[in-house]
Amino acid sequence: MSSSPRAPIHAVTADADTRPSLTVLSGFWPAATFAVARALLAADELLLLVRHDLTGMRNGVVRRVVRSGAGIIEDEPVGLRHGCVSCTLREDVLPTLVRLTRSHPGQDLILILPEVAEPEAVAAACAHCLVDGAPITDFLRVDSYVTVIDAEHLLDGLASTDDLASLGIQAAEDDHRALADVVVRQIEYADTLVLWGQSRKDEFDTGRLSVLLQRMAPWAAHIRVDGDRVDASTLTRQLRHTRRHRPETPGVLARGLQGYLLGAHEPEPDCGVVSAVFRARRPFHPQRLHNVLEEVNAEVIRSRGHLWLASQPDTVVAWEFAGGGLAMGSLGHWLVSLPEDRWEHVCDQRRLAAALDWDPYYGDRHQYLVFIGLDLNAVELHHALAGCLLTDAELADGEETWRTYHDPFAGCFPLEVDELTDIDIEGAQPA
C-alpha cells in the first residue's frame, strides 16, 4: 500500500500554519531601519535578526551578522563567487534563513536588507530560488515587507539626481540605478511603511510627508513613529504577524496591466500634495508626447504607469519618473496584438483584467499614468496630456498611417527586451 504524498508545508491553513514568520525590513537610511529593528528585538528576546554588511563586497566578502535581543549569535565573513547583492541573496541570505529555522525552531526572523536593495528583488528570489531543493516558503512564512523612511531625509532622497555608482554604493559593477529610483521602489513595493522621526522643519511638514507617502503607496499600511518616543510593544503589534504580504501582487509597473490600483486620484491638495491619474483609450501622438515630457514632469516628485503610442501600437510602454529622470521602456505586447494561442503565456490576472475592460476598437490598449507632486496643477497636467492624444481626424486615418508618423521614440522600446530604457527627454535616445 503506497503512502499518500506529503502536502507542502505552505498549503496549510493560516490558523494551522506553524512556520516561523519572516519580516523583511528595507530602507535607504540605515539609522532609522536599525532603530525599528532594535525596538522589535527589545519586545521579543527570541526574535532573530539577520543582516549582511556589504562593505567588503567588491573584494568578494560580506559579513553576516545574526543576533537576538540577548546578543550576537553569529558574526562571520562570507566569501562570494561574485560580489553583488543578488549573489549575496542567493548564496548566503536565503540559505541562512532556512538554516536558522532548523537550528532555532519556532523562532521568528527579521531580515534587514542592505540600503541599496529593493524588496521586490528579494521577493522574486524568495519565490524562485530553491534552498536544498525547495522554496524557502516551505520553511518559513514571509509575513510582510516593511520599508522604513527617515522623515528628515525623505524629500532630499526623492529629489536627488545622484546615482549609486557616483556615491560608491552600487550593488554591482553594472548597477546604474539612481538613488531616487531605489527610494521610490522601496516605498512602492512595501506592504507596510514606517515614517520614522520628524521633518527638519515642523509638524506640518512631517504631516505633509505622511500624505506624500500615502499617495505614493495607497495600498500600504502607514505607521508614524516619533523617533524620540518609541513603544516597542505597540510597534511590534503594528509590524509583526500582520500577514500583509501578498506574493501574487505584481511589481508596481505591472500592476495597472493586471487590474490593480496604480495610484489614487486626489487632485485637491492635502498639505500641498496632489496625486493625479490620467486615463484614456486613444493613443498618444509620438511627437506631441515627446514635446511635453519635460513640461508634465516639471513639478512632479514621482510619476509611473504605462501607455501606448500610435506609431508603435503593439507595444506596452512603461513610464516612470523619479529624481529628475524619466525612464521609458517596453513591457511587452498588448494582448490585442498577439495571436490568441499566445495568450496562454500571459498570467491569468492580466487576461482577466483585459477581458473586463476590453474595447471593440482598441482591445486592451489604454493610457494609465499617475503623477504625484507638491502644488501640482492637475487640470493643466490633464490638458497637456489630452492634447497629445490623436484627434478624431487622425484616428480616422487608421493604424497603417499611424505607423508612419515621425517618432522620436523609434527603436527605444524593442519588444524582445522587457527592460526599462533611460530616455534623454531632449533627444529621446537611450542614455
Side-chain angles (χ1 to χ4, degrees), residues 27-29 149-164 167 169 177-187 200 209 212-213 216 300-302 321-325:
F28 193 79
W29 299 281
I149 301 104
D150 190 327
E152 185 176 352
H153 300 294
L154 174 59
L155 283 182
D156 289 341
L158 293 173
S160 172
T161 57
D162 292 329
D163 58 63
L164 302 185
L167 297 171
I169 57 174
R177 291 175 299 162
L179 185 160
D181 289 332
V182 175
V183 173
V184 297
R185 289 168 189 164
Q186 289 178 346
I187 291 170
R200 299 189 196 108
L209 296 178
L212 176 61
L213 290 173
M216 291 181 66
V300 167
I301 291 175
R302 174 64 165 160
F321 174 92

Side-chain angles (χ1 to χ4, degrees), residues 318 326-330 411-414 417 419-424 429-431:
L326 173 65
M328 300 172 70
S330 170
C412 292
F413 317 127
V417 181
E419 295 179 345
L420 283 184
T421 302
D422 289 331
I423 299 297
D424 176 351
Q429 297 297 322

Side-chain angles (χ1 to χ4, degrees), residues 128-169:
H128 301 296
C129 296
L130 303 181
V131 177
D132 296 338
I136 73 162
T137 49
D138 272 11
F139 307 97
L140 54 80
R141 175 177 57 81
V142 182
D143 184 67
S144 66
Y145 282 84
V146 179
T147 294
V148 183
I149 301 104
D150 190 327
E152 185 176 352
H153 300 294
L154 174 59
L155 283 182
D156 289 341
L158 293 173
S160 172
T161 57
D162 292 329
D163 58 63
L164 302 185
S166 67
L167 297 171
I169 57 174

Side-chain angles (χ1 to χ4, degrees), residues 69-286:
I72 299 291
I73 296 172
E74 298 178 16
D75 188 346
E76 300 178 7
V78 179
L80 300 173
R81 285 174 294 186
H82 305 284
C84 66
V85 171
S86 60
C87 296
T88 304
L89 270 172
R90 293 192 306 271
E91 295 177 24
D92 196 73
V93 174
L94 299 186
T96 295
L97 295 175
V98 171
R99 175 171 57 81
L100 290 172
T101 65
R102 292 167 171 161
S103 61
H104 297 74
Q107 292 183 233
D108 292 340
L109 302 106
I110 301 176
L111 173 63
I112 294 187
L113 301 183
E115 64 192 71
V116 297
E118 297 176 18
E120 186 174 350
V122 179
C126 290
H128 301 296
C129 296
L130 303 181
V131 177
D132 296 338
I136 73 162
T137 49
D138 272 11
F139 307 97
L140 54 80
R141 175 177 57 81
V142 182
D143 184 67
S144 66
Y145 282 84
V146 179
T147 294
V148 183
I149 301 104
D150 190 327
E152 185 176 352
H153 300 294
L154 174 59
L155 283 182
D156 289 341
L158 293 173
S160 172
T161 57
D162 292 329
D163 58 63
L164 302 185
S166 67
L167 297 171
I169 57 174
Q170 67 269 39
E173 289 300 322
D174 59 349
D175 184 0
H176 304 297
R177 291 175 299 162
L179 185 160
D181 289 332
V182 175
V183 173
V184 297
R185 289 168 189 164
Q186 289 178 346
I187 291 170
E188 292 171 349
Y189 187 79
D191 52 64
T192 308
L193 292 177
V194 177
L195 180 61
W196 181 270
Q198 301 289 328
S199 164
R200 299 189 196 108
K201 296 181 180 180
D202 51 32
E203 179 61 27
F204 174 83
D205 199 58
T206 304
R208 182 169 66 171
L209 296 178
S210 181
V211 175
L212 176 61
L213 290 173
Q214 289 167 1
R215 299 295 180 262
M216 291 181 66
W219 42 78
H222 293 258
I223 297 163
R224 279 183 61 177
V225 179
D226 183 339
D228 295 329
R229 298 184 297 275
V230 181
D231 185 324
S233 297
T234 298
L235 192 60
T236 293
R237 289 194 297 272
Q238 291 171 322
L239 298 185
R240 293 186 54 205
H241 299 289
T242 62
R243 298 184 181 272
R244 292 191 183 114
H245 177 53
R246 295 290 181 266
E248 71 277 7
T249 304
V252 172
L253 287 181
R255 287 186 184 186
L257 289 174
Q258 296 191 30
Y260 288 83
L261 177 71
L262 192 57
H265 187 60
E266 299 285 352
E268 293 299 321
D270 185 349
C271 297
V273 180
V274 171
S275 178
V277 176
F278 179 82
R279 304 199 70 163
R281 276 291 185 181
R282 298 184 181 208
F284 282 126
H285 188 288

